[in-house]
């Protein structure tokens, strides 16, 4: 199996300068890999730093040490050291991230929110919106909502917009933070189908899944970050 | 050279200004002629009349006047209005030169707001009285900025003014002080002459000098210089026309003034250029007004 | 130069830019590169020197030391402050655009909306009234200004409309680099949202590079790829926008981020 993501000796802590400069260690010496065609579940109790790790892989949080390497366009790029422009390139082409909550942009319609990652890659607007529509159909979002801005949607609807936006661009590596948390059974199944399809297409997925059913349905293995935990 | 005035025995230097001042103004004039359309600052003097009465034109005239010159002064085309009569008399007294009302006899013509209908010839000089020399002033109030715009030939703003005209009136409604480009370089305000006269400035055989007394600027158009009125491709420059000829001389090609005849609002149109009208009458031309009176 | 190489050459490069006002520091020793298609946000509180820096970058203020280079369409690097004045002013009305915080600083208040948009076209030599008007209408539409107001003066417009008109006036000539000084400052929240959405769309659609000064972190997050945080004339933190806002490292940035309700 081809390795697509490689974390080596990763370290994270938060220093709170405005609270007497205390440092909160999170984890240290963490090693992890993800391969093409597999879905890895990050496991461990709440507060262990699962979301933090995911954000570090995405470049949203900085690493205090170690390497976060991503296979991008045939080359390994270390997200921990890469400059902002390179990280943006990696995010555009290689690395997708479905966060727990949709960060809505005022006034942009659902269809355009979903089409945006494609448009950023230079796909023309009409084609991008066609693909976005296809993806919104897959996640069962009613067509009557497509031309509205998602700000007023319910939690489950926003979550599905977020998922459609994440899966529309076929990123080789996907990061999923509780993608099914606020979904009912039918819609959860639709998302699981997307994950299965991604695995079959040879993508690597790293996810946080709260319920065991979902985990066992799509995940190939669990990765526990508990053993790298540093206590304060 | 001094001239004795007719009354009181007071003596003025020839043409009122002292020789140093004339030299200074002539230098500015030379520069202005060398750089057509460029506004040359000069140290304007206090003249024995208020600003707005032609102090700029008078200083230019005084600086270039010679004893053998024949002077004509017009105000809105007429030789017989207050401003024209006063200035003519002023130079008669302080320079003792000959004056005329005939365009072709004059060597020097000072004008307020018109160019004579009779084509000017080589050797003649036309001096304009200018109130505001800066064509960009009403769009850009900063003098530092307008100077820079002239220096760098940034003239987009001038077309904005014409654009505004068309947007508001459907056509370029500027009828006087219509901006021109001189010698394909400087944008120039032709003083508040009607745009009717703009074509006369182009490749004119006479030297044209402009004096702004209050703002202390001199500029010039040498003989046979290109003077192009600004316009848009789809709204080309046009001069105004009248649907009737001059009531007195019957000319249908000259610039006409509207004259209100009575309290009922009866109107008549007559040549603004009095000399032109008079000479046509002398040649036997008659307008519809004259025929009706007979 | 090919497209690909072009993207590897900074569009604007600031090198150790310092500007002081007598004993008062404007900005100190600031260096960074802006690449084509990139949007950089400069954030910081009032008096942190962000506007001083912007004015230096845009050629409106001369730095005491340091230099700023702009790569023109032919690929040559021009020193913004030592090129001739005609060349700099030419850049300012063709390749560059500057969106002021107060629309009245960037508009001609006595000229109609159409004339305001058309000015840059006419400055560039456009001499066909019909075409100029057509482009003005097109841009009013793009910036969501009611096209029936084309002949009205901007002093009859609301603040949001004035700001959108200013943007139309700036973008009509297809500039490559846009400087914005608090583009949403002074507008109420719903008007801000509309403007942000508009700017975001135009920047993406036209592939514009932009430098945006703002004290509003939400604006910075929405519009910029990269962020520079300034304090007392210095850049205290720089990086990917979401990283700086979500995992700030510097004490001041942490304070700034924690001071707003929803960054």
């Amino acid at each position: 199996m081809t390795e697509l993501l490689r974390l080596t000796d990763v370290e994270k802590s938060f220093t709170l300068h405005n609270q007497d400069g205390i440092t909160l260690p999170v984890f240290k010496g963490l090693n992890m890999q993800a391969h093409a065609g597999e879905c890895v579940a990050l496991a461990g109790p709440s507060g262990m730093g699962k979301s933090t790790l995911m954000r570090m892989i995405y470049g949203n949080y900085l690493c205090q040490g170690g390497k976060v390497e991503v296979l991008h366009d045939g080359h390994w790029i270390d997200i921990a050291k890469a400059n902002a422009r390179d990280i943006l390139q990696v995010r555009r082409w290689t690395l997708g991230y479905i966060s727990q909550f949709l960060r809505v942009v005022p006034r942009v319609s659902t269809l355009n929110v979903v089409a945006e990652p494609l448009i950023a890659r230079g796909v023309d607007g009409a084609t991008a919106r066609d693909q976005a529509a296809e993806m919104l159909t897959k996640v069962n979002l009613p067509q009557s909502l497509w031309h509205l801005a998602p700000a007023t949607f319910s939690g489950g609807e926003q979550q599905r917009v977020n998922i459609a936006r994440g899966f529309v661009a076929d990123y080789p590596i996907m990061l999923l933070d509780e993608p099914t948390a606020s979904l009912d059974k039918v819609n959860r199944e639709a998302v699981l189908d997307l994950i299965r399809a991604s695995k079959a297409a040879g993508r690597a997925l790293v996810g946080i899944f709260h319920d065991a059913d979902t985990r066992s349905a799509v995940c190939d293995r669990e990765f526990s970050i508990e053993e790298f935990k540093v206590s304060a | 050279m001094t001239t004795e005035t007719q009354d009181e025995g007071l003596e003025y230097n020839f043409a009122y200004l002292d020789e140093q001042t004339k030299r200074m103004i002539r230098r500015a004039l030379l520069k202005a002629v060398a750089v057509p359309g460029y506004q040359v600052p000069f140290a304007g003097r206090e003249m024995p009349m208020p600003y707005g009465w032609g102090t700029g034109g008078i200083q230019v005239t005084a600086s270039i006047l010679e004893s053998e010159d024949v002077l004509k002064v017009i105000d809105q085309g007429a030789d017989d209005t207050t401003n024209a009569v006063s200035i003519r008399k002023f130079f008669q007294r302080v320079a003792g030169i000959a004056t005329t009302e005939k365009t072709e006899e004059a060597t020097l013509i000072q004008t307020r707001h018109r160019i004579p209908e009779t084509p000017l010839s080589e050797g003649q000089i036309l001096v304009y009285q200018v109130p505001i020399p800066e064509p960009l002033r009403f769009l850009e109030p900063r003098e530092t900025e307008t100077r820079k715009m002239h220096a760098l030939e940034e003239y987009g703003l001038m077309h904005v003014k014409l654009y505004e005209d068309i947007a508001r009136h459907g056509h370029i409604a500027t009828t006087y002080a219509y901006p021109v480009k001189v010698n394909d370089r400087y944008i120039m305000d032709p003083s508040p002459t009607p745009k009717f006269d703009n074509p006369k400035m182009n490749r004119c055989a006479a030297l044209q000098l402009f004096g702004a007394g209050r703002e202390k600027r001199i500029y010039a158009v040498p003989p046979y210089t290109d003077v192009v009125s600004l316009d848009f491709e789809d709204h080309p420059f046009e001069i105004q026309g009248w649907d009737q000829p001059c009531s007195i001389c019957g000319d249908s090609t000259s610039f006409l003034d509207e004259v209100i005849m009575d309290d009922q609002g009866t109107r008549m149109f007559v040549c603004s250029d009095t000399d032109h009208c008079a000479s046509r009458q002398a040649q036997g031309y008659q307008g519809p007004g004259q025929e009706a009176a007979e | 130069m090919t497209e690909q190489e072009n993207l590897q050459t900074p569009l604007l490069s600031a090198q150790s830019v310092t500007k002081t006002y007598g004993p008062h520091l404007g900005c100190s020793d600031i260096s960074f590169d802006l690449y084509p298609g990139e949007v950089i946000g400069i954030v910081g509180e009032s008096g942190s020197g962000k506007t001083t820096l912007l004015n230096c970058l845009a050629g409106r203020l001369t730095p005491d030391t340091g230099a700023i280079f702009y790569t023109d369409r032919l690929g040559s690097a021009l020193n913004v402050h030592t090129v001739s004045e005609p060349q700099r002013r030419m850049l300012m009305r063709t390749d560059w655009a500057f969106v002021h915080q107060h629309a009245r600083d960037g508009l001609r208040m006595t000229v109609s909306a159409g004339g305001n948009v058309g000015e840059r076209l006419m400055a560039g030599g456009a001499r066909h009234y019909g075409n100029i008007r057509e482009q003005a209408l097109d841009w009013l539409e793009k910036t969501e200004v009611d096209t029936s107001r084309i002949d009205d003066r901007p002093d009859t417009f609301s603040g949001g409309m004035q700001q959108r008109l200013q943007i139309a006036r700036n973008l009509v000539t297809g500039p490559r680099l846009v400087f914005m000084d608090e583009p949403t400052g002074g507008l109420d929240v719903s008007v801000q949202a509309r403007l942000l959405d508009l700017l975001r769309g135009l920047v993406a659609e036209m592939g514009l590079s932009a430098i945006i000064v703002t004290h509003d972190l939400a604006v910075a997050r929405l519009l910029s790829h990269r962020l520079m945080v300034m304090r007392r004339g210095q850049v205290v933190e720089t990086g990917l926008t979401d990283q700086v806002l979500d995992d700030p490292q510097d004490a001041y940035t942490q304070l700034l981020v924690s001071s707003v309700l929803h960054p």
Side-chain angles (χ1 to χ4, degrees):
Chain A
M1 281 202 298
T2 324
E3 206 175 44
L4 295 184
L5 175 69
R6 187 163 69 198
L7 276 62
T8 316
D9 203 20
V10 167
E11 181 183 345
K12 180 66 195 169
S13 61
F14 292 104
T15 303
L16 308 179
H17 293 286
N18 300 301
Q19 292 172 42
D20 304 328
I22 55 161
T23 296
L24 305 174
V26 184
F27 42 68
K28 194 172 181 169
L30 185 145
N31 298 299
M32 185 196 129
Q33 299 82 33
H35 301 89
E38 73 168 344
C39 179
V40 182
L42 299 183
S46 296
M48 205 50 63
K50 299 191 291 293
S51 286
T52 297
L53 179 62
M54 198 160 275
R55 285 163 172 259
M56 289 164 74
I57 298 172
Y58 197 59
N60 182 224
Y61 281 5
L62 286 182
C63 298
Q64 265 59 46
K67 289 198 270 190
V68 175
E69 290 170 297
V70 166
L71 189 63
H72 169 71
D73 198 18
H75 302 279
W76 287 97
I77 287 194
D78 181 4
I79 297 286
K81 303 265 185 321
N83 64 37
R85 289 206 311 137
D86 289 337
I87 294 177
L88 287 174
Q89 282 301 312
V90 170
R91 287 181 181 182
R92 179 170 298 173
W93 294 102
T94 305
L95 199 56
Y97 172 45
I98 297 175
S99 61
Q100 238 168 316
F101 301 102
L102 177 68
R103 192 180 280 281
V104 288
V105 179
R107 296 212 315 151
V108 180
S109 76
T110 296
L111 202 59
N112 283 326
V113 166
V114 175
E116 208 175 359
L118 295 173
I119 289 171
R121 286 181 179 178
V123 177
D124 74 272
T127 313
R129 276 185 285 275
D130 282 349
Q131 292 187 38
E134 205 177 304
M135 194 50 73
L136 285 167
T137 310
K138 282 187 187 164
V139 297
N140 302 324
L141 194 81
Q143 200 165 351
S144 55
L145 298 180
W146 293 3
H147 293 280
L148 304 176
T152 54
F153 290 6
S154 72
E157 286 162 349
Q158 289 198 5
Q159 178 74 309
R160 279 177 283 154
V161 174
N162 212 4
I163 287 163
R165 179 182 158 93
F167 277 104
V168 78
D170 297 342
Y171 300 105
I173 305 168
M174 286 291 297
L175 308 171
L176 315 168
D177 193 348
E178 304 266 20
T180 57
S182 42
L183 302 182
D184 59 29
K185 204 166 172 358
V186 178
N187 289 319
R188 180 161 60 233
E189 202 47 47
V191 174
L192 295 184
D193 282 343
L194 283 174
I195 294 175
R196 289 191 193 100
S198 290
K199 282 167 64 180
R203 299 186 194 119
L205 297 98
V206 177
I208 301 169
F209 302 95
H210 229 72
D211 69 305
D213 290 348
T214 308
R215 234 177 4 242
S216 58
V218 289
C219 295
D220 301 281
R221 61 189 174 90
E222 290 192 3
F223 175 80
S224 169
I225 60 174
E226 207 165 357
E227 56 183 290
F228 307 103
K229 177 75 187 166
V230 185
S231 45
Chain B
M1 194 195 320
T2 55
T3 306
E4 210 164 298
T5 54
Q6 292 150 346
D7 45 338
E8 296 168 38
L10 288 175
E11 283 194 355
Y12 283 104
N13 188 41
F14 177 76
Y16 185 76
L17 290 177
D18 64 277
E19 293 305 311
Q20 286 306 319
T21 299
K22 289 187 195 173
R23 268 165 58 107
M24 175 271 293
I25 293 175
R26 283 183 206 133
R27 276 202 193 114
L29 285 168
L30 280 174
K31 183 166 177 182
V33 168
V35 192
Y38 172 70
Q39 299 167 45
V40 184
F42 78 108
R45 296 291 190 252
E46 290 292 330
M47 297 303 282
M49 63 197 69
Y51 288 130
W53 286 53
T55 52
I58 289 165
Q59 288 180 76
V60 170
T61 300
S63 305
I64 56 174
L65 204 60
E66 294 177 45
S67 50
E68 57 270 29
D69 268 324
V70 181
L71 179 70
K72 171 181 163 81
V73 183
I74 51 173
D75 171 10
Q76 307 270 22
D79 293 88
D80 52 5
T81 54
T82 315
N83 194 240
V85 172
S86 308
I87 293 172
R88 196 159 55 228
K89 233 172 161 186
F90 173 76
F91 281 112
Q92 272 171 348
R93 282 171 63 169
V94 299
I97 40 95
T99 61
T100 182
E101 295 192 0
K102 297 240 158 291
T103 299
E104 56 270 36
E105 284 174 9
T107 54
L108 187 56
I109 304 171
Q110 179 168 332
T111 174
R112 173 173 174 269
H113 307 357
R114 274 310 310 278
I115 299 175
E117 304 290 357
T118 309
L120 302 179
S121 53
E122 282 183 26
Q124 286 185 306
I125 300 177
L126 186 59
V127 176
Y128 296 76
Q129 303 168 200
V130 180
I132 296 168
E134 179 50 72
L136 301 162
R137 174 69 72 246
F138 289 105
L139 294 151
E140 178 51 69
R142 290 168 294 180
E143 174 76 14
T144 47
E145 187 64 18
T146 52
R147 282 208 207 187
K148 207 166 264 181
M149 289 159 84
H150 281 297
L152 304 178
E153 259 188 289
E154 291 180 2
Y155 288 136
L157 199 55
M158 207 67 248
H159 272 85
V160 171
K161 183 178 187 302
L162 301 181
Y163 170 96
E164 290 291 288
D165 257 14
I166 304 174
R168 204 160 299 156
H169 306 287
H171 60 95
I172 298 177
T174 301
T175 52
Y176 64 94
Y178 191 104
V180 293
K181 193 166 212 181
V182 179
N183 200 27
D184 201 28
R185 175 60 182 83
Y186 284 96
I187 298 274
M188 184 184 93
D189 184 338
S191 86
T193 51
K195 67 175 176 178
F196 179 89
D197 287 337
N198 276 15
K200 294 180 193 159
M201 306 180 95
N202 184 34
R203 305 202 61 76
C204 176
L207 170 64
Q208 303 174 75
L209 304 175
F210 299 77
R214 182 176 6 228
E215 301 220 8
K216 300 178 173 51
R217 294 283 185 280
I218 283 171
Y219 50 101
V221 177
Y224 302 111
T225 302
D226 287 336
V227 177
V228 179
S229 304
L230 302 184
D231 61 3
F232 286 103
E233 289 157 18
D234 47 346
H235 285 269
F237 173 78
E238 284 172 345
I239 61 169
Q240 55 269 68
W242 289 261
D243 46 19
Q244 51 185 295
C246 169
S247 292
I248 299 171
C249 77
D251 193 356
S252 53
T253 59
S254 74
F255 187 86
L256 302 182
D257 283 339
E258 182 182 352
V259 184
I260 305 292
M261 303 300 290
D262 55 30
D263 288 347
Q264 278 67 52
T266 312
R267 303 178 306 166
M268 106 176 180
F269 287 89
V270 295
C271 289
S272 116
D273 185 337
T274 51
D275 167 51
H276 173 75
C277 199
S279 54
R280 276 179 56 88
Q281 289 170 57
Q283 287 165 39
Y285 289 103
Q286 273 198 345
Q290 297 304 101
E291 287 157 18
E294 279 168 13
Chain C
M1 199 185 276
T2 68
E3 184 88 351
Q4 202 53 43
E5 280 170 304
N6 248 332
L7 295 176
Q8 299 310 313
T9 313
L11 191 64
L12 195 76
S13 179
Q15 300 176 2
S16 307
V17 174
T18 299
K19 171 78 190 170
T20 55
Y21 301 99
H24 303 288
L25 186 63
C27 60
S28 169
D29 194 27
I30 291 172
S31 304
F32 72 95
D33 290 332
L34 174 78
Y35 288 86
E38 203 175 26
V39 180
I40 290 188
I42 303 175
V43 297
E45 62 197 6
S46 304
S48 57
K50 52 194 197 301
T51 297
T52 296
L53 175 61
L54 188 76
N55 282 329
C56 286
L57 297 173
R60 297 159 58 87
L61 262 184
T62 308
D64 301 335
T65 56
I68 292 141
F69 292 92
Y70 169 74
T71 309
D72 68 9
R73 288 177 204 258
L74 301 171
S76 30
L78 308 174
N79 182 324
V80 170
H81 293 278
T82 59
V83 292
S84 65
E85 189 170 20
Q87 209 173 353
R88 181 162 60 242
R89 286 172 66 106
M90 170 76 108
L91 273 184
M92 285 179 174
R93 62 174 193 270
T94 54
D95 276 17
W96 292 6
F98 198 104
V99 177
H100 296 263
Q101 171 174 9
H102 302 292
R104 53 179 59 241
D105 294 337
L107 290 173
R108 290 192 192 276
M109 299 306 281
T110 56
V111 168
S112 71
N116 264 293
V117 178
E119 182 177 344
R120 273 172 82 119
L121 295 171
M122 291 182 248
R127 291 292 179 265
H128 190 284
Y129 175 82
N131 294 349
I132 293 165
R133 199 167 169 85
E134 207 169 291
Q135 288 197 59
L137 281 168
D138 182 41
W139 269 94
L140 291 182
E141 207 172 305
K142 275 190 188 148
T143 50
E144 302 174 21
V145 176
D146 182 355
T147 49
S148 70
R149 303 291 302 271
I150 184 168
D151 294 329
D152 294 343
R153 285 161 40 150
D155 49 14
T156 66
F157 287 10
S158 69
M161 270 171 83
Q162 287 183 3
Q163 199 58 298
R164 293 198 300 279
L165 179 64
Q166 192 193 178
I167 288 163
R169 171 182 159 91
N170 269 288
L171 298 189
V172 64
T173 46
R176 302 169 73 210
L177 176 56
V178 186
F179 300 95
M180 299 189 210
D181 188 5
E182 303 277 10
T184 60
L187 300 177
D188 61 52
V189 185
S190 63
V191 175
Q192 267 194 31
R194 184 173 183 187
L195 189 72
L196 282 175
D197 176 32
L198 178 79
L199 278 175
R200 212 168 145 270
L202 289 172
V203 165
E205 194 182 310
M206 299 173 76
L208 291 176
S209 305
I211 298 177
I212 300 172
V213 160
T214 179
H215 67 272
D216 187 332
L217 299 184
V219 169
R221 188 191 281 274
L222 215 51
L223 292 179
S224 62
H225 300 128
R226 275 202 288 147
L227 215 53
M228 289 181 6
V229 183
M230 286 188 71
R231 189 194 190 204
R232 293 184 186 152
Q234 318 259 352
V235 172
V236 295
E237 184 162 0
T238 169
L240 212 56
T241 299
D242 58 290
Q243 180 263 303
V244 172
L245 294 179
D246 293 342
D247 187 17
Q249 305 296 305
D250 179 80
Y252 175 69
T253 317
Q254 289 186 356
L255 183 69
L256 202 63
V257 169
S258 63
S259 304
V260 284
L261 297 173
H262 289 286

